[in-house]
Structures are given as structure tokens and as C-alpha cells.
Amino acid sequence: MGSPPPVTRADCYALWAVLLGLLVVGEALAHLGHHRVRGFAALVTPLLARTPSRLALFLGWMWLGWHFFAR
Amino acid sequence: MAGRPTTLARWASPGYLAALVATGAYSWWVATTTPFSVGADVATAIPLGVLGALAVVQWRADRANGAPARPLRRLDPAAATGAAWPLPTVLLAALAFELYNLFSAPRSVHPTVSSLYDSAAGTHAWKAVFVLAWLALGWDLLRR
């Protein structure tokens, strides 16, 4: 019995692709699958109804932009 | 019978189209900037300032009107009846994988979201698309 094979770059890219695909499929089901699954809008809207969580989401959006485009 | 214009009619209106063109042009310009430069700081700070100011105005108006929790905006009530666990579960899995990659090396073998973005945003057009998506997300958060 040897050590498990190391994780390769292809493995990681494949897993990222699977995760992204699941998000896309989930969101598509929310719109096309008679609402059997809640999409991002339905999940986020209750958070936006309250000021603290609304503020947190907005600050998160600001951080996203600053992190990816300025820094 | 007079009624609210359809979504397509609203999107095709001159105002919407002008806003879309202006936002696209702005995204194109932001994509020309380089991170850690004054240009990138300014380009990112402008929408942060504008939307931040609009958010403050909106919040003060809500408090002045004694408005209750903001209602769903054009969200079908049936949309809130589906299973809530799938998307958060996938997001948690993505977060766990991100942390695993963050604390692993080398980065070329363990890509994080930031390194994936760096690869994807290598072209001007794709970076402009990401900027446009970010601006659209901010506007949507503000309007809900």
C-alpha cells in the first residue's frame, strides 16, 4: 500500500468546474424547474429585508470589487 | 388597459439602453487599469462612492418613511417555496475547497478563486465582462 496519489492541477480545475456547474444547474432549476429549488434571489431577498444583513451584503460587494479590480 | 410595461419593454427603453451603453463603456475603461495603480483605485472607487451614496440616501428615506422591511421586488412568491439547501450547500463546499487551496502549495496546482480570476481576466474583454457583472450585482442589491 503506497501513499495516495498527489492532487494534480487537473483534479483541482475539474472540481472547480463541477462546483461552478452545480451552481449554474441549481440556479437554472430555480427558474425553469417550477421553483423546486430556491435560487440566489429567493435566498438573498430575506437578508436584504433587514438593515444589518443588507449592509453586510453591500459591504461584501464593495470588498469584491476592491479585491479583484483595485488590489 | 394601461399597465406596467413589460420587462422587455423596460429594457428596450432609451434610458435603459443608454445606461447599459454607459456602464459597458465604463467597464471597458476599468478593464484597462492595472491593479495597485492610481487608475485602478480611482476606477473602482467611483462606483463604490456612487452606489454607496445611493444606498445611504435610500436607507435614510426608508427610516424617514418608517418603512417596514423591504418587500420582494418583482420576485414570484412561489420562488420562496423551493428547497433552500442545494445552493448554500454547494457554496459551502466551494468555500471549503477554497480554504483547502489557499493553505496548499504551489498555487499553480491549487488554484484559488483569485488565481482563477487572474487567469480568466487576462484578456481585456473578459475583465470588462467581470467589471460589468460586478456593477450589475451592486445595482441589483441596491434596488431589491
Side-chain angles (χ1 to χ4, degrees):
Chain A
M1 293 218 183
S3 59
V7 173
T8 66
R9 179 178 171 172
D11 295 334
C12 289
Y13 273 94
L15 187 49
W16 275 125
V18 166
L19 289 169
L20 181 62
L22 286 174
L23 287 176
V24 171
V25 166
E27 186 66 16
L29 281 176
H31 290 280
L32 304 172
H34 304 290
H35 304 298
R36 279 196 289 262
V37 171
R38 286 193 214 182
F40 287 111
L43 291 170
V44 164
T45 298
L47 297 175
L48 290 170
R50 290 171 169 72
T51 299
S53 48
R54 186 184 187 92
L55 178 63
L57 281 172
F58 198 72
L59 288 175
W61 170 81
M62 295 173 88
W63 175 85
L64 262 181
W66 192 255
H67 175 66
F68 283 108
F69 307 130
R71 290 287 180 268
Chain B
M1 175 159 75
R4 205 154 173 260
T6 63
T7 301
L8 188 59
R10 283 202 308 275
W11 287 358
S13 67
Y16 260 77
L17 289 175
L20 188 62
V21 169
T23 307
Y26 189 82
S27 301
W28 191 261
W29 171 62
V30 173
T32 65
T33 62
T34 305
F36 296 95
S37 67
V38 173
D41 291 348
V42 170
T44 310
I46 290 174
L48 292 182
V50 169
L51 268 72
L54 288 174
V56 169
V57 168
Q58 184 185 68
W59 176 70
R60 289 169 65 101
D62 285 349
R63 280 172 58 99
N65 296 334
R70 188 171 295 277
L72 298 178
R73 179 179 67 87
R74 295 194 300 275
L75 190 65
D76 183 356
T81 59
W85 64 266
L87 287 181
T89 302
V90 175
L91 286 175
L92 277 175
L95 177 62
F97 191 51
E98 169 77 359
L99 291 174
Y100 164 73
N101 285 317
L102 188 64
F103 293 108
S104 301
R107 184 64 65 236
S108 58
V109 174
H110 298 278
T112 58
V113 172
S114 293
S115 59
L116 289 172
Y117 164 79
D118 286 340
S119 302
T123 62
H124 187 159
W126 273 112
K127 185 173 177 181
V129 168
F130 286 124
V131 174
L132 186 62
W134 173 68
L135 291 173
L137 178 62
W139 183 246
D140 195 61
L141 284 176
L142 193 66
R143 292 198 62 211
R144 281 194 180 274

